[in-house]
Amino acid sequence: QVQLVESGGGSVQSGGSLRLSCAASVYGYSAYSLAWFRQVPGKEREGVAAIDTLGRTTYADSVSGRFTISRDNAKNTLYLQMNSLKPEDTARYFCAADRIKYLLLPRYNYWGQGTQVTVSS
């Protein structure tokens, strides 16, 4: 069983930064592909960034150049550094994990509960 717990969300002004973390309770963490998604009420969950077992990354066009995904396998933790935040980045952010590399597709088997990010103009 994989348990994921996000933290680091909050409220920030436009142009600001936040760093999200996702702590995992799982054996063999390094064998999992990981990703961050976000969702606004009434809209579909959107893939933001993904990282595979070799550390290769994929980003949505909307966040490329502003967000950075990374992982620390020694700490079983996934990160999302978000810079130059915009009001349209406001959403609930979720981390996801799976042994299959789904990139930005919302097909991951394991999900956290999410953390809210609010960006004001």
Side-chain angles (χ1 to χ4, degrees):
Q1 186 70 14
V2 178
Q3 292 187 330
L4 304 173
V5 179
E6 301 94 337
S7 62
S11 296
V12 65
Q13 289 192 329
S14 181
S17 298
L18 283 174
R19 188 194 196 200
L20 305 183
S21 298
C22 173
S25 297
V26 61
Y27 178 77
Y29 179 77
S30 62
Y32 284 78
S33 290
L34 309 166
W36 286 99
F37 289 77
R38 64 188 180 187
Q39 190 168 25
V40 175
K43 293 190 176 181
E44 292 186 355
R45 194 164 292 191
E46 173 192 18
V48 173
I51 186 167
D52 68 10
T53 57
L54 297 179
R56 293 172 297 196
T57 58
T58 303
Y59 295 94
D61 288 344
S62 58
V63 306
S64 182
R66 299 188 298 122
F67 291 10
T68 302
I69 188 172
S70 61
R71 64 189 297 168
D72 185 337
N73 290 337
K75 297 182 178 179
N76 282 16
T77 302
L78 174 71
Y79 302 99
L80 184 68
Q81 177 66 43
M82 305 186 295
N83 298 330
S84 302
L85 282 162
K86 304 175 181 180
E88 51 263 45
D89 294 318
T90 295
R92 190 163 186 86
Y93 284 71
F94 300 85
C95 61
D98 204 296
R99 288 185 173 270
I100 298 175
K101 186 177 174 180
Y102 287 116
L103 296 178
L104 299 181
L105 296 175
R107 297 179 181 174
Y108 291 74
N109 264 320
Y110 305 104
W111 295 84
Q113 294 299 307
T115 184
Q116 180 67 33
V117 171
T118 302
V119 184
S120 58
S121 57

